Amino acid sequence: ILVDLLGHGRSSVPKGRAAYQFRALAKDSEVIFDRYCGHQNVVVGHSYGTSFAVWLADQRQAAVTNIILISGGGPYPLASDWPSLWHLPLTVMRCLQPLVRLGYRRRAFCRETRRLRSQERSLAGVMGGIRHTMRGQSWPNGDDQFHRSLRQPVLLVYGDHDQLVGLGDELEMHRTIFQAHLHRIPDAGHMVMVERPVVVSDVCLDFVRHHLQQPADPNRITRWSYDGPSSD
C-alpha cells in the first residue's frame, strides 16, 4: 500500500494547518494501516515518512514485523525551524516555487544522477500543502529513548551522497536502535530509491525474506548483522 502524504501526490489538500500537524498525520496513518494490514506487515518510510513508520511500529507492535527507514536521519525529536523559508507568506512562497523546487532537486539527487532526473518533478505537491507539512513537523517524543524502545528488526537505507541527511545522524540512528542494520549505497543521494531502485529493492527484499524465515523474538533484543546483495 503506497500512501501519498496529505497535500502531496493524489491526496487532498486541506486549507487548515491543523490537518498537517504530525500527530494528525500519524493518526491518519493508523487508520490506513488498520484498514489494509495483514498478518505480517512491513512498514517502509522515506525521509519525513520514517517518523510515521516508527510511530506505527510502536502503536501496532503486534502487527508490524519489520521496519525499513530510507534517508530518515537520526533519533531526534521533530521541531519546525523558526524562522525559515516555510514561514514566509503563501503568496511569496508561490513566487519562489521554481527556485524552491530547483534547490530541492540539487540537494536531493547526487551529481551523477541529477541530469537524468532533470525532467522529473521534485517536491511533488501543492505549495500550500508542502508549507503546512514542513511547519507541522513537531514531535518532541520522537527522541533516542523512543527509538531505543523499538522491538522490530529495522533496516536503514542511506545514499552516501545525501545532502539533506548527514551520515553522522544515520550512524547515530544505527547505534540507537538495537535490531538495526545500516546499508549504505554509493552514488546516490536523498532520493536513493529513485536513483538506485534495483539495489534498494534487492536490499529490502533480502531483509524481509531473512526475517520471514527467522521471526524476531520481541522479548530478546539483539543486533542483527546483514551484508545484503552487492551494490555494484
Side-chain angles (χ1 to χ4, degrees):
I1 304 299
L2 179 63
V3 179
D4 285 333
L5 199 64
L6 203 67
H8 295 70
R10 298 182 180 179
S11 291
S12 60
V13 188
K15 293 183 178 181
R17 288 177 53 188
Y20 299 89
Q21 296 299 307
F22 173 80
R23 288 192 176 273
L25 294 175
K27 291 299 181 181
D28 289 345
S29 70
E30 289 181 28
V31 172
I32 296 170
F33 181 86
D34 292 342
R35 170 64 179 82
Y36 294 104
C37 69
H39 178 63
Q40 293 182 314
N41 304 277
V42 180
V43 179
V44 183
H46 170 256
S47 193
Y48 182 34
T50 60
S51 295
F52 301 109
V54 295
W55 169 282
L56 271 177
D58 177 69
Q59 296 295 311
R60 302 292 188 269
Q61 292 186 24
V64 176
T65 54
N66 305 101
I67 312 168
I68 299 175
L69 308 179
I70 304 174
S71 308
Y76 311 127
L78 292 178
S80 179
D81 294 333
W82 170 263
S84 74
L85 172 72
W86 306 106
H87 289 84
L88 292 173
L90 184 55
T91 52
V92 176
M93 289 295 302
R94 286 172 176 157
C95 294
L96 295 175
Q97 182 169 321
L99 294 177
V100 173
R101 292 187 184 279
L102 177 62
Y104 177 80
R105 186 166 61 244
R106 286 181 173 176
R107 298 184 66 193
F109 295 96
C110 77
R111 185 183 300 273
E112 288 75 9
T113 61
R114 195 179 301 149
R115 291 181 181 178
L116 300 176
R117 304 294 173 184
S118 61
Q119 302 302 317
E120 196 169 283
R121 290 187 66 196
S122 299
L123 207 66
V126 177
M127 187 54 67
I130 296 173
R131 176 172 174 266
H132 287 325
T133 300
M134 298 300 293
R135 295 175 65 178
Q137 294 184 18
S138 177
W139 183 28
N141 295 330
D143 55 10
D144 57 345
Q145 183 176 353
F146 172 88
H147 288 84
R148 197 174 291 117
S149 70
L150 295 173
R151 293 296 180 264
Q152 300 92 336
V154 178
L155 173 63
L156 307 174
V157 179
Y158 179 78
D160 268 347
H161 293 276
D162 195 330
Q163 297 184 55
L164 295 175
V165 172
L167 177 58
D169 293 337
E170 202 72 32
L171 291 172
E172 183 62 26
M173 182 70 93
H174 183 222
R175 287 189 290 265
T176 299
I177 301 177
F178 290 102
Q179 294 196 88
H181 172 73
L182 171 59
H183 193 101
R184 295 168 58 182
I185 297 179
D187 300 324
H190 193 67
M191 300 296 288
V192 57
M193 69 288 181
V194 176
E195 297 172 289
R196 297 288 180 261
V198 175
V199 175
V200 172
S201 295
D202 286 347
V203 169
C204 293
L205 286 172
D206 277 20
F207 169 78
V208 172
R209 287 167 180 160
H210 175 90
H211 286 286
L212 287 177
Q213 296 171 0
Q214 302 180 31
D217 180 356
N219 297 315
R220 181 183 179 188
I221 302 175
T222 57
R223 182 172 292 280
W224 177 65
S225 178
Y226 166 73
D227 293 326
S230 172
S231 58
D232 293 336

